[in-house]
Amino acid sequence: MAIGILLVGGFGTRLKPLTNQTPKPMLPIGGLPVTEHQLLAAKKAGINTVILATSYLSEVFIPYFGDGSKWGMKLLYAVEKEPLGTGGAIRNAAAMVGFSQSSEDFVIFNGDVLSKHDIAAQLDFHKANSADATLHLIEVADARAFGCVPTDSVGRVTDFLEKMDNPITNDINAGCYVFSPSVISEIPEGKVISIERETFPQLVKSGRPVYGYREQSYWLDIGTPAALFRGSRDFVAGDFMAGVGTKIASDCIITGGSSIGAGSSIGTGSVITNSIVGDGVFIGDNCTITDSFILHNCQIASGTEIIGKYISPTENLPISTQ
Ligand code: GDD
Ligand code: MG
């Protein structure tokens, strides 16, 4: 069965300050890290071995995910001392499972994407075309911030144009690729390589079979605070949700698709609107929390008003969730 690689080593610059202490893929959606949602999607497609390609704040992943047995999966960790770029990270991670002898396909996931597309169908499409690489494509209204990927009438990719001002199609790279192992062995080892700016354009130019699997299901890159909050609200799909063991006083008003983690406590008279609250957070009485992100293990004193803020145990900084 295919082997998964999760690209989780980026700096999450556009999400700052939310990524000051938390790597982007460990930010919570509905109380679970983005990575956990992706692992569950991979498992559903029959992918049981996944390598996490980590770099920035790599030490945060292992205590949470361990060897993967809690999810019935086998998880491995490839750590880049300095980020190797998306291509270098894939090459480095695949080397952990001896890809040169492998006959297994690899499924690569950008680590900041929530997608409900059918990964097993994408793998079948890859095999049916005897492709070298197969990219999940999705149509968006504005393609400028993404990899623009035109295809021909049978779905063959004809170009790959990363982030352009005048996109030639609205079909974009949705950040989930199937690679045949032979292609991975062609990525130079130990070098900083961009899969988007180097590998894909080269494969297409040299006439290799690269295909686009087009599926228009729920899809979101959570790479900005506004997108993360949208993803969280989409997941909650109602006034609010709260994790196991969280105690909420009966007169609290929690709305706007807020998400409260596990083992937290919210005191009497508090009002929480469009906010993300982590695990083990203590919120006192009569607090107002609006458009804010409260990291795990924070203590908020009674009567505090927090509007448009990122709060961690050591930080208090403004954010915009719009
Ligand atoms: N291990 C590792 N090492 N991971 C990395 C590195 C690295 O050096 N650089 C980036 N990543 C990870 C990020 O953590 C993220 O999960 C993923 O690679 C993609 O990087 P982003 O920084 O989020 O890229 P983007 O959103 O601007 O563009 C990418 O995603 C779009 C879809 O959301 C591209 O793949 C676009 O082509 C695509 O359309
Ligand atoms: Mg991204």
Side-chain angles (χ1 to χ4, degrees):
M1 202 46 215
I3 294 166
I5 296 177
L6 280 181
L7 296 173
V8 291
F11 290 113
T13 312
R14 283 164 296 170
L15 267 160
K16 276 188 170 298
L18 276 58
T19 46
N20 282 355
Q21 301 186 24
T22 313
K24 173 164 67 168
M26 288 301 286
L27 290 169
I29 291 287
L32 301 180
V34 174
T35 297
E36 191 165 351
H37 292 283
Q38 292 191 297
L39 288 176
L40 294 170
K43 188 173 160 70
K44 197 172 147 201
I47 301 168
N48 290 314
T49 301
V50 175
I51 308 161
L52 275 73
T54 69
S55 184
Y56 174 65
L57 294 175
S58 57
E59 66 278 8
V60 177
F61 293 92
I62 298 175
Y64 188 92
F65 291 108
D67 64 2
S69 51
K70 188 173 158 195
W71 291 266
M73 300 177 82
K74 181 178 172 191
L75 298 186
L76 303 167
Y77 298 87
V79 183
E80 300 148 46
K81 280 203 193 78
E82 295 297 329
L84 286 169
T86 45
I90 293 168
R91 174 69 157 88
N92 184 56
M96 289 194 81
V97 290
F99 64 91
S100 46
Q101 299 95 45
S102 171
S103 55
E104 309 278 6
D105 291 328
F106 286 87
V107 183
I108 322 293
F109 300 88
N110 279 357
D112 59 347
V113 167
L114 297 171
S115 177
K116 292 199 174 143
H117 83 284
D118 187 339
I119 300 164
Q122 183 182 351
L123 266 160
D124 289 344
F125 187 70
H126 178 79
K127 286 196 173 65
N129 290 313
S130 303
D132 278 354
T134 301
L135 289 68
H136 174 213
L137 305 184
I138 194 150
E139 192 180 341
V140 295
D142 181 355
R144 286 177 298 176
F146 302 103
C148 187
V149 188
T151 47
D152 68 12
S153 58
V154 293
R156 197 157 164 165
V157 172
T158 54
D159 210 345
F160 192 107
L161 302 144
E162 182 68 10
K163 298 188 181 80
M164 62 192 309
D165 285 339
N166 299 301
I168 56 169
T169 166
N170 287 341
D171 283 351
I172 61 137
N173 165 27
C176 176
Y177 328 121
V178 183
F179 273 116
S180 298
S182 60
V183 179
I184 296 198
S185 66
E186 293 170 32
I187 302 173
E189 195 182 352
K191 277 179 70 178
V192 176
I193 303 275
S194 163
I195 208 80
E196 296 92 345
R197 295 183 192 276
E198 297 169 76
T199 314
F200 284 136
Q202 280 161 16
L203 285 172
V204 172
K205 269 198 194 75
S206 54
R208 302 282 290 271
V210 178
Y211 280 80
Y213 170 76
R214 299 174 85 236
E215 187 184 323
Q216 201 71 16
S217 41
Y218 180 83
W219 183 89
L220 185 71
D221 176 326
I222 56 94
T224 63
L228 179 79
F229 274 73
R230 189 179 330 130
S232 184
R233 282 193 303 270
D234 290 345
F235 190 88
V236 171
D239 283 338
F240 79 100
M241 65 171 285
V244 178
T246 286
K247 295 195 179 80
I248 301 173
S250 58
D251 60 351
C252 289
I253 302 171
I254 309 182
T255 57
S258 294
S259 170
I260 321 288
S264 293
S265 146
I266 303 171
T268 181
S270 288
V271 179
I272 300 179
T273 313
N274 183 35
S275 292
I276 300 175
V277 175
D279 302 332
V281 172
F282 171 88
I283 297 173
D285 300 341
N286 302 311
C287 291
T288 303
I289 297 176
T290 307
D291 299 337
S292 293
F293 184 101
I294 317 288
L295 192 60
H296 308 309
N297 306 319
C298 282
Q299 307 267 329
I300 311 292
S302 291
T304 306
E305 186 177 74
I306 297 170
I307 301 172
K309 289 287 182 67
Y310 159 77
I311 309 282
S312 79
T314 53
E315 298 157 296
N316 179 331
L317 297 164
I319 55 164
S320 169
T321 62
Q322 304 306 313

